[in-house]
Short mmCIF file of all heavy atoms in Angstrom, two decimals:
data_model
loop_
_atom_site.label_atom_id
_atom_site.label_comp_id
_atom_site.label_asym_id
_atom_site.label_seq_id
_atom_site.Cartn_x
_atom_site.Cartn_y
_atom_site.Cartn_z
N ASP A 79 -0.67 5.57 2.92
CA ASP A 79 0.19 5.68 4.10
C ASP A 79 1.64 5.94 3.68
O ASP A 79 2.31 6.82 4.25
CB ASP A 79 0.10 4.40 4.94
CG ASP A 79 0.96 4.47 6.18
OD1 ASP A 79 0.74 5.39 7.01
OD2 ASP A 79 1.86 3.62 6.34
N LEU A 80 2.13 5.20 2.70
CA LEU A 80 3.51 5.38 2.26
C LEU A 80 3.72 6.75 1.61
O LEU A 80 4.79 7.34 1.75
CB LEU A 80 3.91 4.25 1.31
CG LEU A 80 4.02 2.88 1.96
CD1 LEU A 80 4.18 1.79 0.91
CD2 LEU A 80 5.16 2.83 2.97
N GLU A 81 2.70 7.26 0.94
CA GLU A 81 2.79 8.62 0.41
C GLU A 81 2.85 9.64 1.55
O GLU A 81 3.65 10.58 1.51
CB GLU A 81 1.59 8.94 -0.49
CG GLU A 81 1.66 8.32 -1.86
CD GLU A 81 0.52 8.78 -2.71
OE1 GLU A 81 0.67 9.81 -3.41
OE2 GLU A 81 -0.55 8.12 -2.69
N ALA A 82 2.01 9.46 2.56
CA ALA A 82 2.00 10.38 3.70
C ALA A 82 3.34 10.38 4.43
O ALA A 82 3.77 11.41 4.94
CB ALA A 82 0.88 10.00 4.66
N LYS A 83 4.00 9.25 4.47
CA LYS A 83 5.29 9.12 5.15
C LYS A 83 6.46 9.54 4.26
O LYS A 83 7.60 9.56 4.71
CB LYS A 83 5.47 7.68 5.64
CG LYS A 83 4.55 7.34 6.80
CD LYS A 83 4.71 5.88 7.20
CE LYS A 83 4.05 5.55 8.50
NZ LYS A 83 2.62 5.68 8.57
N GLY A 84 6.20 9.80 2.98
CA GLY A 84 7.26 10.22 2.07
C GLY A 84 8.10 9.08 1.53
O GLY A 84 9.18 9.31 0.98
N THR A 85 7.62 7.85 1.65
CA THR A 85 8.37 6.68 1.16
C THR A 85 8.18 6.48 -0.33
O THR A 85 9.10 6.05 -1.02
CB THR A 85 7.92 5.42 1.92
OG1 THR A 85 8.07 5.67 3.32
CG2 THR A 85 8.72 4.20 1.54
N ILE A 86 6.97 6.77 -0.81
CA ILE A 86 6.69 6.71 -2.25
C ILE A 86 6.08 8.04 -2.65
O ILE A 86 5.64 8.82 -1.79
CB ILE A 86 5.75 5.54 -2.63
CG1 ILE A 86 4.35 5.73 -2.04
CG2 ILE A 86 6.36 4.21 -2.23
CD1 ILE A 86 3.34 4.69 -2.53
N GLU A 87 6.09 8.30 -3.95
CA GLU A 87 5.45 9.53 -4.41
C GLU A 87 4.68 9.28 -5.68
O GLU A 87 4.99 8.38 -6.45
CB GLU A 87 6.45 10.66 -4.56
CG GLU A 87 7.59 10.43 -5.50
CD GLU A 87 8.62 11.57 -5.44
OE1 GLU A 87 8.50 12.49 -4.61
OE2 GLU A 87 9.57 11.51 -6.21
N ARG A 88 3.67 10.12 -5.87
CA ARG A 88 2.84 10.03 -7.07
C ARG A 88 3.35 11.05 -8.08
O ARG A 88 3.86 12.11 -7.72
CB ARG A 88 1.37 10.25 -6.75
CG ARG A 88 1.03 11.58 -6.14
CD ARG A 88 -0.45 11.81 -5.92
NE ARG A 88 -1.00 10.89 -4.94
CZ ARG A 88 -2.30 10.69 -4.76
NH1 ARG A 88 -3.18 11.35 -5.48
NH2 ARG A 88 -2.73 9.85 -3.86
N GLU A 89 3.17 10.70 -9.33
CA GLU A 89 3.55 11.61 -10.40
C GLU A 89 2.30 12.35 -10.87
O GLU A 89 1.20 11.85 -10.75
CB GLU A 89 4.17 10.81 -11.55
CG GLU A 89 5.44 10.09 -11.10
CD GLU A 89 5.90 9.03 -12.07
OE1 GLU A 89 5.58 9.12 -13.26
OE2 GLU A 89 6.58 8.10 -11.61
N ALA A 90 2.50 13.53 -11.39
CA ALA A 90 1.39 14.33 -11.90
C ALA A 90 1.02 13.80 -13.28
O ALA A 90 1.38 14.38 -14.30
CB ALA A 90 1.78 15.80 -11.96
N SER A 91 0.36 12.66 -13.32
CA SER A 91 0.01 12.04 -14.58
C SER A 91 -1.36 11.39 -14.46
O SER A 91 -1.86 11.16 -13.37
CB SER A 91 1.05 10.97 -14.95
OG SER A 91 1.03 9.92 -14.00
N LYS A 92 -1.93 11.12 -15.60
CA LYS A 92 -3.18 10.36 -15.65
C LYS A 92 -2.94 9.22 -16.61
O LYS A 92 -2.55 9.47 -17.75
CB LYS A 92 -4.33 11.24 -16.12
CG LYS A 92 -4.68 12.27 -15.08
CD LYS A 92 -6.02 12.87 -15.32
CE LYS A 92 -6.26 13.89 -14.22
NZ LYS A 92 -7.59 14.27 -14.06
N PRO A 93 -3.11 7.98 -16.20
CA PRO A 93 -3.49 7.61 -14.83
C PRO A 93 -2.34 7.86 -13.85
O PRO A 93 -1.19 7.99 -14.24
CB PRO A 93 -3.82 6.13 -14.94
CG PRO A 93 -2.98 5.64 -16.08
CD PRO A 93 -2.90 6.80 -17.05
N LEU A 94 -2.72 7.89 -12.60
CA LEU A 94 -1.76 8.09 -11.51
C LEU A 94 -0.64 7.06 -11.59
O LEU A 94 -0.89 5.87 -11.79
CB LEU A 94 -2.49 7.95 -10.17
CG LEU A 94 -1.65 8.01 -8.91
CD1 LEU A 94 -1.13 9.42 -8.72
CD2 LEU A 94 -2.48 7.60 -7.72
N ARG A 95 0.59 7.50 -11.44
CA ARG A 95 1.75 6.60 -11.43
C ARG A 95 2.51 6.81 -10.14
O ARG A 95 2.60 7.93 -9.64
CB ARG A 95 2.64 6.86 -12.65
CG ARG A 95 1.92 6.62 -13.97
CD ARG A 95 2.82 6.84 -15.16
NE ARG A 95 3.72 5.73 -15.38
CZ ARG A 95 3.43 4.61 -16.01
NH1 ARG A 95 2.22 4.43 -16.50
NH2 ARG A 95 4.32 3.66 -16.17
N LEU A 96 3.06 5.72 -9.62
CA LEU A 96 3.77 5.74 -8.34
C LEU A 96 5.19 5.22 -8.51
O LEU A 96 5.44 4.35 -9.33
CB LEU A 96 3.05 4.85 -7.31
CG LEU A 96 1.58 5.14 -7.07
CD1 LEU A 96 0.94 3.99 -6.29
CD2 LEU A 96 1.44 6.43 -6.30
N HIS A 97 6.10 5.74 -7.70
CA HIS A 97 7.45 5.18 -7.61
C HIS A 97 8.00 5.42 -6.21
O HIS A 97 7.50 6.28 -5.47
CB HIS A 97 8.38 5.76 -8.68
CG HIS A 97 8.65 7.22 -8.54
ND1 HIS A 97 7.86 8.19 -9.09
CD2 HIS A 97 9.64 7.88 -7.90
CE1 HIS A 97 8.34 9.38 -8.81
NE2 HIS A 97 9.43 9.22 -8.08
#
Side-chain angles (χ1 to χ4, degrees):
D79 181 59
L80 292 170
E81 283 185 90
K83 289 177 168 64
T85 305
I86 66 173
E87 59 187 4
R88 60 176 65 194
E89 298 166 25
S91 65
K92 291 197 180 198
L94 175 70
R95 299 182 77 82
L96 305 167
H97 65 273

